[in-house]
Amino acid sequence: MKQRRREHAGVPNATRGVWGGLTLSVTVAALAFAWWKGALLSPFDLRSPGHAVLLALRGLLLASVVIAARGHRRATWIALAMGALFFATLVLPGATLALCAVSLLLLWQLPAPRIQSPRITLAGLLSGVSALALCLIGLHALRPPAWTHPEFPSAQASAAKSARAWLAADNLHRARWAALAWARQEGADPGEAYLFLAEVDLQLGHRDKARRVLEKVRDRSSSEELRLRAAQQLGGLE
Amino acid sequence: MIARLGLVRRALLGALLLVILSLVHGNMDLLSDSFWYIAAGRSVLDTGHFPAVDPFSFTAMRTPWVVHMPGSVVLFAWLDRHLGILSILRVCVLVETAALGVLWLSSSRSTAGRVALFPLIAFTVYLQRDDLCARGQVFGDLLFALLLIIAARFRDGRPVRWWIAPLLGVAWVNLHSSFLLGVLVPVIGAVGQVFDPREKRHSMVGPWVFAMLLALGTLVNPYGTALVRDVLTLASHPTTQQQTLFVSPDFWRTDTMVTFALGVAALVGCVRSRESKGHGGRVLLLVALLCAAASGLRYLPLLCYVSISLLGPTMDDVLAEAIARLRRRAGDSAYVGPRTASIAAIVGVVLVAGFAVRTLRTPKDPYAQVPIEAARFVREHRLDNVVNDYHWGGFLLYVWQGAPKVFIDGRSHLYYNGVFQDALDLAAARPGYEEKLELYEVRTALLEAGSPLAVVLEQRDGWTRVFEDRLAVVLRRPDTEGSSSGGPARGR
């Protein structure tokens, strides 16, 4: 009798307690996060924040219950019900709560999994170490370069900042558009904006436009340094 | 008699395979993606090396262009050059049929099981009817079907030759960008086994080693790690999440519901399965695919594939039991004799084969889904600074070959610089579209007839329609060079 009280379906109560606590904590944390992001009762849309966490939670609970139900006399019905509930959570906002409640109830009734670590063999050890090394090398070599996630300027950014940001993002047309706005701000005294505009025009292949802009700076700028730079660049164009 | 029955069975399966071929042939077309493959491949065949930067678009980033699926692009260009454009469609139809055939025949061992699974195979074709296209994905499907056979061998505890993994990796990375599945599927299967009791596990080392060797094989491509990195970046990039294929499906559509029902049925099949080992791995793989299918349209067919693969053995068991029970109840008197069954099967084979052959003989127009006339009009009249719809960009760059250049196309990894979002905003004619047309110095628009941008431009002062046909319109600002006088030109 005492042995039976310390166990459920051959699994020690302590193990069940750990699993139960873990599952409950993860579920509550995920639901709280989703509620905070406004995803808990809204229609499924993975582009919204919070829904990705909810989807992962659904998968976790579904897998946990189906794995735990193995060998149970009603395993078929449990799997069917959980699968149907999983789909229902995708079409009915709020059904996720029902899925969580049913899953937790079932996991409490079903025997908790006893994770037995695999026997450690030489082959396993070697492949495990190699896998880890490959993963670390891979993570380093395969990290996305910075240019794949450029920083776009905000709508409130100044024309100068926008122009530089778009050039860094390699969008020459937007950089030129922002440079034109920047140049208009400089007014009758052509300066840095014009030089920037000429550089972008050159990169776009508009040599004539670039030449005209540089000539304006060389002829009209109040800064001698800028006039020299413009003259040098004009020399490079010819 | 037994030999004759065997022949009839083979004929029946052959006829059903012919039906799969005809279904794929009827639903597959050359869409825009097929054409950028040819354009990129032509460049390789002409110059002997992969292009360093993109020559086809006037808005693409100027970073080194890593051509995804390098093997497929060269193959497509070679087929186009030597055997004509329809040969690409034929090859892709055969490859996709092979993928479905491999999946179908390997999932079930009995004739009854295979016949029962056949509607699911047909459904898989139906599910992809809007997207089935002659492109590298057909090779990805075939390799995925082969991967499922290998996964089944791991589940059964049967050995897998070590050299298959790197070969599979080499082929997959060069033919399609879905090679990550080759690493993930065995790993998921191995991880799932952690939840099984030790006596109900197969070796966990095998799948891990397989995944590692396959991953190493993916480095054998013209770009080395750069290609793998590029593909992984594209898979997780925000621009990918906005593409139609990677948006969540409409869950109220019948075909979506049927696909999920199939996944749930496979889950039920797992718990009923008599296979004593590998339960955790099967469940974990199915759940992962259910979640993936919920996140993107692209993964619905993969869920179908895996469900069919896992349902096959269950189908065999269920049908074997049902047939045995029927025989016991019916006794010999009501038993349908072999002769009657053979005649019925032969009639079925003839009818089915006839339908399939009739469908296969329907001619295909390779340009049915693309604006060939509009593209030729723009090229012949030397119109430039063209804004185009995203889904036609691949075809337009094939026709124009860089003169003029396209605004955007399906190679979204070249448009991380904000152009992708601008293209979406322009296509929907969202507020601010006029400014975008100005900043990209757009003078010509080649758009789908009736699309939002086409409708608003036709109503705006300063834009004139210069060409139209059943698919597309070309609009031009009339105060620039090259504008036509009089009414718009009309295509076929």
Side-chain angles (χ1 to χ4, degrees):
Chain A
M1 189 67 168
K2 274 188 184 172
Q3 180 68 14
R4 243 182 274 141
R5 273 197 224 119
R6 284 200 290 270
E7 283 185 358
H8 173 76
V11 179
N13 282 344
T15 308
R16 291 189 72 230
V18 167
W19 278 115
L22 199 61
T23 310
L24 192 62
S25 317
V26 167
T27 305
V28 167
L31 289 175
F33 179 80
W35 174 76
W36 175 48
K37 290 290 184 183
L40 193 58
L41 296 173
S42 58
F44 182 75
D45 180 4
L46 209 57
R47 284 174 294 186
S48 306
H51 280 287
V53 167
L54 273 188
L55 184 62
L57 178 68
R58 290 177 180 107
L60 188 71
L61 291 174
L62 176 62
S64 303
V65 171
V66 173
I67 287 173
R70 192 202 174 145
H72 194 274
R73 55 196 164 93
R74 295 202 205 283
T76 304
W77 292 109
I78 290 172
L80 193 60
M82 287 299 297
L85 255 180
F86 176 88
F87 184 74
T89 62
L90 300 173
V91 293
L92 299 171
T96 310
L97 294 169
L99 176 75
C100 294
V102 169
S103 304
L104 290 172
L105 189 67
L106 284 171
L107 285 171
W108 180 250
Q109 297 294 322
L110 294 167
R114 286 163 65 178
I115 295 189
Q116 295 169 300
S117 61
R119 288 199 178 88
I120 298 174
T121 61
L122 184 62
L125 204 57
L126 282 174
S127 58
V129 169
S130 314
L132 190 62
L134 264 178
C135 282
L136 289 172
I137 294 169
L139 281 170
H140 177 74
L142 300 176
R143 66 192 188 285
W147 56 261
T148 59
H149 292 78
E151 296 255 354
F152 297 143
S154 66
Q156 294 81 29
S158 65
K161 221 174 178 178
S162 289
R164 292 198 175 98
W166 282 117
L167 186 64
D170 202 18
N171 190 326
L172 294 176
H173 291 86
R174 278 195 170 271
R176 185 172 189 276
W177 189 252
L180 281 171
W182 183 15
R184 278 193 290 273
Q185 287 171 3
E186 283 187 345
D189 184 13
E192 280 290 346
Y194 279 69
L195 290 179
F196 185 91
L197 180 60
E199 183 194 335
V200 173
D201 275 334
L202 267 176
Q203 292 191 38
L204 278 167
H206 303 152
R207 290 176 70 89
D208 289 342
K209 285 183 185 174
R211 184 176 291 114
R212 284 198 295 273
V213 170
L214 288 170
E215 282 168 357
K216 277 185 191 168
V217 179
R218 183 195 61 187
D219 298 340
R220 299 186 209 165
S221 178
S222 59
S223 160
E224 190 176 335
E225 187 208 338
L226 290 177
R227 289 201 302 272
L228 272 170
R229 277 167 61 188
Q232 275 170 356
Q233 287 182 39
L234 272 168
L237 274 179
E238 279 147 21
Chain B
M1 174 58 73
I2 290 172
R4 215 179 298 155
L5 269 177
L7 203 62
V8 170
R9 278 196 197 115
R10 281 195 207 106
L12 180 63
L13 292 178
L16 291 177
L17 208 54
L18 208 55
V19 172
I20 296 174
L21 180 69
S22 68
L23 286 172
V24 172
H25 178 264
N27 286 283
M28 187 178 283
D29 279 303
L30 284 160
L31 300 179
S32 203
D33 272 355
S34 320
F35 291 97
W36 79 249
Y37 281 50
I38 304 170
R42 267 188 203 157
S43 172
V44 178
L45 292 179
D46 291 340
T47 60
H49 59 82
F50 283 90
V53 288
D54 166 68
F56 299 121
S57 165
F58 69 93
T59 61
M61 299 175 79
R62 294 164 301 159
T63 45
W65 177 23
V66 176
V67 177
H68 293 189
M69 301 165 278
S72 292
V73 304
V74 172
L75 174 67
F76 275 41
W78 188 91
L79 285 170
D80 175 52
R81 183 166 288 185
H82 292 97
L83 300 173
I85 195 149
L86 276 178
S87 65
I88 298 171
L89 191 60
R90 288 183 191 120
V91 165
C92 289
V93 165
L94 285 172
V95 172
E96 183 70 18
T97 305
L100 292 167
V102 159
L103 175 72
W104 177 48
L105 295 172
S106 65
S107 300
S108 176
R109 293 271 170 256
S110 66
T111 305
R114 284 169 178 165
V115 170
L117 277 180
F118 177 78
L120 301 182
I121 298 289
F123 172 75
T124 306
V125 178
Y126 173 77
L127 182 67
Q128 303 176 80
R129 65 197 180 286
D130 294 331
D131 189 52
L132 205 52
C133 165
R135 58 185 170 192
Q137 189 183 322
V138 302
F139 299 107
D141 289 347
L142 177 60
L143 293 165
F144 187 67
L146 293 172
L147 181 73
L148 292 178
I149 295 177
I150 292 166
R153 287 186 73 90
F154 279 127
R155 280 200 307 272
D156 296 342
R158 287 182 286 165
V160 174
R161 300 256 183 263
W162 66 268
W163 47 263
I164 291 178
L167 271 183
L168 202 61
V170 171
W172 212 327
V173 73
N174 286 288
L175 291 173
H176 192 239
S177 302
S178 61
F179 55 85
L180 197 59
L181 291 171
V183 176
L184 285 177
V185 167
V187 166
I188 290 173
V191 165
Q193 288 201 99
V194 166
F195 300 102
D196 292 332
R198 235 186 241 143
E199 64 276 12
K200 292 195 184 291
R201 289 179 200 164
H202 292 299
S203 162
M204 292 169 72
V205 170
W208 282 105
V209 172
F210 183 90
M212 270 194 321
L213 290 175
L214 193 141
L216 284 172
T218 63
L219 300 179
V220 180
N221 64 77
Y223 301 96
T225 54
L227 174 55
V228 178
R229 184 184 59 206
D230 225 52
V231 169
L232 292 177
T233 305
L234 180 65
S236 57
H237 203 271
T239 55
T240 304
Q241 310 305 319
Q242 297 183 68
Q243 294 180 35
T244 317
L245 270 183
F246 295 96
V247 165
S248 292
D250 178 0
F251 297 107
W252 292 106
R253 272 177 65 137
T254 312
D255 50 5
T256 308
M257 286 199 237
V258 170
T259 308
F260 275 88
L262 206 56
V264 171
L267 207 59
V268 172
C270 280
V271 296
R272 284 176 56 100
S273 172
R274 289 191 186 154
E275 293 177 43
S276 62
K277 297 189 181 183
H279 171 74
R282 287 196 294 277
V283 169
L284 210 58
L285 182 62
L286 260 175
V287 170
L289 272 167
L290 279 166
C291 292
S295 69
L297 263 173
R298 173 66 186 91
Y299 305 108
L300 284 175
L302 295 183
L303 177 60
C304 271
Y305 269 58
V306 171
S307 301
I308 291 169
S309 162
L310 294 176
L311 272 173
T314 306
M315 201 73 88
D316 285 342
D317 294 340
V318 166
L319 285 172
E321 269 180 42
I323 290 169
R325 212 178 299 135
L326 271 173
R327 283 182 179 160
R328 278 198 301 271
R329 277 189 204 163
D332 286 331
S333 56
Y335 179 55
V336 175
R339 185 174 289 182
T340 315
S342 302
I343 292 169
I346 288 167
V347 169
V349 164
V350 168
L351 284 173
V352 152
F355 159 78
V357 167
R358 195 167 160 227
T359 313
L360 283 168
R361 290 178 70 175
T362 311
K364 280 270 188 182
D365 177 5
Y367 304 115
Q369 307 289 334
V370 289
I372 178 87
E373 297 298 329
R376 283 174 180 159
F377 177 88
V378 168
R379 187 184 58 192
E380 281 154 15
H381 289 76
R382 297 176 194 247
L383 305 180
D384 60 357
N385 287 54
V386 187
V387 71
N388 58 274
D389 284 321
Y390 171 81
H391 57 281
W392 279 344
F395 172 70
L396 294 175
L397 66 88
Y398 158 82
V399 174
W400 295 341
Q401 286 291 304
K405 299 193 177 191
V406 300
F407 176 68
I408 192 160
D409 61 88
R411 301 166 301 158
S412 52
H413 59 291
L414 297 179
Y415 301 101
Y416 294 148
N417 54 358
V419 173
F420 185 85
Q421 186 57 51
D422 286 341
L424 291 182
D425 293 342
L426 276 171
R430 289 189 189 128
Y433 77 90
E434 303 99 327
E435 188 185 276
K436 289 189 170 78
L437 290 173
E438 288 298 328
L439 73 92
Y440 285 106
E441 300 176 90
V442 171
R443 289 194 283 271
T444 314
L446 193 162
L447 304 165
E448 192 166 356
S451 63
L453 186 60
V455 167
V456 297
L457 287 184
E458 287 195 51
Q459 291 165 358
R460 279 187 71 82
D461 289 336
W463 287 90
T464 308
R465 195 194 315 169
V466 296
F467 176 92
E468 66 179 333
D469 67 11
R470 66 177 178 86
L471 276 182
V473 292
V474 178
L475 298 134
R476 182 84 175 154
R477 295 191 201 191
D479 58 343
T480 54
E481 292 172 0
S483 62
S484 62
S485 56
R490 289 182 192 276
R492 281 178 285 127

